[in-house]
Amino acid sequence: MWNEFLYSIATYPYLYALFTGVMLLWITVGLHALRRVRQAPDERPRLTFKKFGAAFQEALVQRRIWRRPLAGAMHLCLFAAGVLILVAYIMTHHVAPRGEAWQASRTAHFIADLGVMLGFVGHMLAGWRRFIRKETSRAFSDVLLWGLGFVFIIAYGLANALQVAITDPNWQRAAFLSRPIAGLFSGMATLTLRSLYGLVWALVHGSLFVGVLLVPLTKWRHVLAIVVNLAHADDLPPAVAVSEDLNGDGPFGLGRTDQLSKKQLYETWACVRCGRCSTVCPATMTGKMLDPLKLIEAELEAPRMASLPDFIDQEALWQCSMCLACADVCPADIAPWRHLLDMRRERVLEAAEFPQELQGVFRGIERRGNPWGTATNKSEIAREAGVRLLSKGDSCDVLLWMGCMVAVDPLAQQAWRAMAQLLAAADVDVACLGDAEPCCGDAARRLGNEYIWQQQVETVSDAMHDIHVGRVVSVCPHCANTLGNEYPQGLWQGVSHALEELSCLAQEGRIVPEAHQVKPCRVVYHDPCYLARGLDVIDSVRRLLVATPGCELVEPAHKGKDVWCCGAGGGQMWLQEDDGAALGQSLFDELANTKAELILSACPYCDTTLQSEFGNTNDVSDVVIFIANRWRASDRSDQG
């Protein structure tokens, strides 16, 4: 093989000289990238062989991409084509480039033809998605890369066919694609065929040379960068924000490109510009300034040490609902919402430049323990529901967390009472903190005020001191995620959403559907973002609803992790929305199209937003209330 390699270099000296120059470019870009990584803040997370192996496996299988079958088929074809053509190149150029070995290289040419066929199909699918269905970017650089790949595949296939037509090789029967195409050239003069052969090989080498030259400079870098990014996955739950260390002198948040963490650098390099994040972003879909793809592009294209506010529209920072959809659909494990959250932190903690409405939110949490700044009546609500209030030294099996919405929203109060009644009927030792329960700090954290968030963690920890609880249950997915995934370990044994608790009680037979007949009702259930994408509570809810008497469950077009956002999260509950379509307009249209009599959700934010939109035309309620009205404690529970 070594002799054949030297022969290939001697035959094409200028070509190998060009590719040597390309490799020097790759090395230069790689060293520059390594230097940026070494200078970037944040050592988290570290690479391990196990994580690298898992990342390499994910890059090969590409499970994330197959959530869109057409995109999955396209990537599989292109990936397989690249591997096959590379193998065929090595075999035909460095193993058997001449003589009897070349005449016997049937396998190599079968592989080459298979690669051409898959490459052609992959590029046709890519063109269909880009130009017909308009699912992906049509920017000049993206179209150029697609065109280069298409020219290479066509030219490489024609070169193989012309080779058959000119040389009549022994391996031509194995070349299932080249041989029939070669038949199109039958009767042409040998000189003409050789001229065509030289032309198409010039196209092959030209497109290949330009392509490999562009790999480290364009989105094609993702071939390597995605593996690196996946290998540095932080293993955090989907809805968890990375903590900010406020003990130092700062700067805090993300205000300049040199403040991008190592993981964030990997993410910008791994972006393939597929645009999936943009197609599911409620702000982008409704014509707002925010576009998660443009956010990542701005970080990538801005010079080092550049101020990000000069490259990213500041209005866009406050249009994100933190719905997690952008990260959920990204095949490269990029979480644009975490980048945006860090930029919000810089605006709040460093620049003190944020929407005026948020001053009241931050002040309310600090002074009154809730974002509205209203006096709470949680203890009175608990007494009316017959729920025991915990004092120092007390204990309970389940601490039923109330959350801020229960103090101000009647529907949230009703859901909390319904959950308390079901737990008590199932003989669960349930209690709450009442007015001693502080705000968990979720709103402050999502709005970028990490200082108030950390204050609330300390306040909640103090409130829980010398109180012993088995687990915490909340009717709010935001509270459940924050308390369960973002708080320090040791305060409680576990945290779950109310529907997770009800599902467990139903599986244990401690609650059962009512036996009497109930008038059938056409019901549509909306998955809250933080319950479906954040906590992965999807199927268990539907099992409860299907088992509920009188429930005729219909589904919207987007459900589960693909659900559209209501537009209330990420602080949007308190922010004034611009003119134009509401952030949740796509969701509203889908729910209206179901023609359901009753719209259900399982999040106080969603419940409030849906009531505001559908209150005059549809009944809107919470799943917990709906189940409580149609389920009861089993006889076993009644008997203790």
Side-chain angles (χ1 to χ4, degrees), residues 330-588:
C330 180
D333 191 41
I334 301 170
W337 72 270
R338 287 193 175 117
H339 294 236
L340 187 143
L341 177 58
D342 279 346
M343 294 179 197
R344 283 186 176 184
R345 288 172 176 171
E346 189 275 336
R347 293 289 86 188
V348 172
L349 300 175
E350 291 286 336
E353 296 179 4
F354 49 85
Q356 186 175 0
E357 307 99 292
L358 299 187
Q359 292 182 356
V361 175
F362 297 150
R363 188 164 50 244
I365 296 175
E366 285 189 299
R367 296 181 180 178
R368 291 293 186 90
N370 67 83
W372 287 271
T374 58
T376 62
N377 58 345
K378 293 181 179 179
S379 293
E380 183 63 27
I381 294 171
R383 292 190 188 96
E384 292 175 357
V387 178
R388 176 166 58 98
L389 296 175
L390 291 174
S391 301
K392 296 297 182 181
D394 288 346
S395 64
C396 65
D397 290 336
V398 169
L399 171 65
L400 188 56
W401 192 264
M402 303 187 83
C404 298
M405 287 289 284
V406 170
V408 298
D409 181 65
L411 188 59
Q413 291 177 17
Q414 190 178 351
W416 188 85
R417 290 192 186 99
M419 187 63 196
Q421 292 166 5
L422 272 175
L423 289 171
D427 199 28
V428 176
D429 179 23
V430 59
C432 71
L433 294 174
D435 289 334
E437 178 193 282
C439 173
C440 70
D442 169 79
R445 172 162 251 201
R446 265 64 193 171
L447 287 167
N449 200 324
E450 187 76 0
Y451 175 75
I452 292 181
W453 146 257
Q454 294 189 13
Q455 276 189 327
Q456 292 308 116
V457 172
E458 294 180 5
T459 303
V460 172
S461 299
D462 291 341
M464 293 300 301
H465 181 68
D466 202 25
I467 291 177
H468 309 284
V469 303
R471 60 190 183 279
V472 177
V473 175
S474 173
V475 295
C476 175
H478 296 266
C479 292
N481 170 72
T482 299
L483 297 171
N485 293 327
E486 296 186 323
Y487 266 59
Q489 300 295 318
L491 289 179
W492 32 64
Q493 294 179 11
V495 181
S496 62
H497 184 265
L499 290 177
E500 294 179 274
E501 184 73 14
L502 292 180
S503 179
C504 290
L505 292 176
Q507 289 179 357
E508 295 170 1
R510 301 178 67 178
I511 60 173
V512 294
E514 290 280 4
H516 61 269
Q517 294 293 322
V518 179
K519 180 182 177 182
C521 178
R522 188 177 173 87
V523 174
V524 62
Y525 169 65
H526 161 63
D527 292 273
C529 298
Y530 273 61
L531 191 60
R533 285 190 279 263
L535 301 175
D536 197 24
V537 179
I538 301 171
D539 295 334
S540 58
V541 186
R542 286 165 170 80
R543 285 194 294 268
L544 284 171
L545 288 174
V546 169
T548 301
C551 177
E552 295 182 0
L553 183 64
V554 295
E555 297 280 13
H558 293 82
K559 62 180 181 178
K561 293 188 177 183
D562 294 325
V563 68
W564 293 140
C565 177
C566 76
Q572 299 305 315
M573 178 71 75
W574 301 277
L575 288 169
Q576 183 67 37
E577 194 162 354
D578 300 332
D579 295 336
L583 281 173
Q585 192 59 53
S586 298
L587 169 66
F588 303 153

Side-chain angles (χ1 to χ4, degrees), residues 204-215:
V204 168
H205 288 116
S207 57
L208 180 62
F209 173 75
V210 175
V212 295
L213 183 68
L214 293 177
V215 165

Side-chain angles (χ1 to χ4, degrees), residues 12-223:
Y12 309 104
Y14 296 112
L15 182 64
Y16 280 90
L18 286 174
F19 281 111
T20 300
V22 170
M23 292 305 298
L24 290 174
L25 171 66
W26 281 34
I27 293 171
T28 302
V29 173
L31 290 174
H32 175 71
L34 182 61
R35 179 171 175 268
R36 285 203 63 182
V37 168
R38 290 175 62 87
Q39 294 176 346
D42 183 11
E43 292 295 331
R44 181 203 59 83
R46 295 186 180 277
L47 178 64
T48 64
F49 285 110
K50 182 178 179 181
K51 292 177 70 173
F52 183 81
F56 189 72
Q57 181 183 23
E58 177 65 32
L60 289 177
V61 178
Q62 302 179 1
R63 285 173 296 185
R64 297 166 182 259
I65 297 175
W66 282 96
R67 286 179 65 176
R68 293 186 178 180
L70 187 62
M74 179 200 75
H75 280 87
L76 178 62
C77 287
L78 293 178
F79 180 78
V83 172
L84 292 172
I85 290 174
L86 177 61
V87 170
Y89 165 79
I90 294 173
M91 294 176 70
T92 56
H93 283 68
H94 303 303
V95 178
R98 52 188 170 148
E100 294 182 2
W102 178 79
Q103 285 286 355
S105 56
R106 294 178 177 82
T107 302
H109 290 89
F110 172 81
I111 291 174
D113 275 16
L114 184 59
V116 170
M117 183 183 71
L118 291 175
F120 180 79
V121 172
H123 279 87
M124 292 301 292
L125 290 175
W128 174 265
R129 294 182 67 231
R130 189 177 305 280
F131 303 113
I132 306 300
R133 298 182 63 170
K134 299 180 179 178
E135 293 179 352
T136 56
S137 169
R138 293 179 300 282
F140 173 76
S141 60
D142 296 327
V143 175
L144 172 64
L145 294 176
W146 176 83
L148 279 172
F150 198 68
V151 167
F152 171 79
I153 285 294
I154 296 297
Y156 184 71
L158 286 175
N160 291 338
L162 286 166
Q163 195 174 42
V164 172
I166 295 170
T167 63
D168 191 27
N170 295 339
W171 47 257
Q172 62 178 292
R173 292 185 64 84
F176 65 93
L177 188 62
S178 297
R179 188 160 58 93
I181 296 176
L184 300 177
F185 301 105
S186 61
M188 295 182 66
T190 301
L191 182 60
T192 303
L193 292 175
R194 290 185 179 277
S195 297
L196 287 174
Y197 183 72
L199 174 63
V200 294
W201 265 113
L203 287 174
V204 168
H205 288 116
S207 57
L208 180 62
F209 173 75
V210 175
V212 295
L213 183 68
L214 293 177
V215 165
L217 306 176
T218 64
K219 71 173 188 178
W220 277 356
R221 70 173 72 88
H222 78 267
V223 175

